[in-house]
Amino acid sequence: DAGVIQSPRHEVTEMGQEVTLRCKPISGHNSLFWYRQTMMRGLELLIYFNNNVPIDDSGMPEDRFSAKMPNASFSTLKIQPSEPRDSAVYFCASSSRGRGTEAFFGQGTRLTVV
Amino acid sequence: GESVGLHLPTLSVQEGDNSIINCAYSNSASDYFIWYKQESGKGPQFIIDIRSNMDKRQGQRVTVLLNKTVKHLSLQIAATQPGDSAVYFCAENADTPLVFGKGTRLSVIA
């Protein structure tokens, strides 16, 4: 298995632009997580899905952030409009169950908003 | 209060020595714990896990100890190697997905 696949690996965008991050979870996993990692706050959970349904989005910082999971093999995290403080590494992870099992992480997308 | 930045604690260990990385978790209802290793430019990678009905679990060169009384978790790495240099995170799981600690940077001195 190729593991969790994220794209792009790096994204540089101007403030105010829309940014879309993509994730393909491991086949057969039914839970998907989006995390954000910064020097200031470490690894923070933004949102997670079980069976393509958003379960908890309380970690999403603002209405500018939205996430979708249209099917079991694809998820997006969108920021519109982007701001410099959104600069971070965004990780997608998947697991075979929502809790009680390890989550497998992708390589992350490093987002820089200038 | 809030720190200006996330200053990771750093553990420097001589190659070949044993390393012990500690973690205090917050939720007494957590029943599953994981240690992850994160190398520069990569996502966190699973090392070892332990459930709350155990107090010790061993893997290859790694051992995790769990003390539920004081809510403490430790990762022991035997015969530390340069490839072990990374940031190590503990994560806990109760009713919500994994909640990560702040991490410890392990630096191996050759």
Side-chain angles (χ1 to χ4, degrees), chain A residues 95-110:
Chain A
S95 73
S96 57
R97 294 198 304 271
R99 60 184 299 273
T101 58
E102 66 192 272
F104 294 82
F105 283 75
Q107 295 283 55
T109 295
R110 180 175 294 279

Side-chain angles (χ1 to χ4, degrees), chain A residues 9 33 35 37-43 45 48 56 89 91 97-108 110, chain B residues 3-6 29 31-32 34 36 38 41-44 46 49 51 89 93-100 102:
Chain A
R9 288 296 310 277
F33 314 89
Y35 285 86
Q37 187 173 41
T38 61
M39 286 299 295
M40 291 288 290
R41 302 175 68 89
L43 262 170
L45 178 69
Y48 82 98
D56 183 357
V89 181
F91 287 104
R97 294 198 304 271
R99 60 184 299 273
T101 58
E102 66 192 272
F104 294 82
F105 283 75
Q107 295 283 55
R110 180 175 294 279
Chain B
S3 59
V4 174
L6 191 63
D31 57 4
Y32 179 64
I34 302 180
Y36 280 89
Q38 187 176 24
K42 296 184 178 180
F46 171 88
D49 60 1
R51 300 193 184 277
F89 294 93
N93 191 194
D95 293 329
T96 57
L98 293 172
V99 174
F100 285 80
K102 298 301 184 186

Side-chain angles (χ1 to χ4, degrees), chain A residues 25 29-32 47-55 67-75:
Chain A
H29 283 188
N30 60 3
S31 295
L32 183 139
I47 185 171
Y48 82 98
F49 296 83
N50 269 355
N51 296 317
N52 312 340
V53 176
I55 302 301
K68 294 182 179 179
M69 191 165 186
N71 57 62
S73 59
F74 184 65
S75 177

Side-chain angles (χ1 to χ4, degrees), chain A residues 66-86:
Chain A
S66 62
K68 294 182 179 179
M69 191 165 186
N71 57 62
S73 59
F74 184 65
S75 177
T76 59
L77 177 68
K78 184 178 294 186
I79 308 172
Q80 164 66 13
S82 58
E83 296 182 3
R85 60 194 168 116
D86 301 331

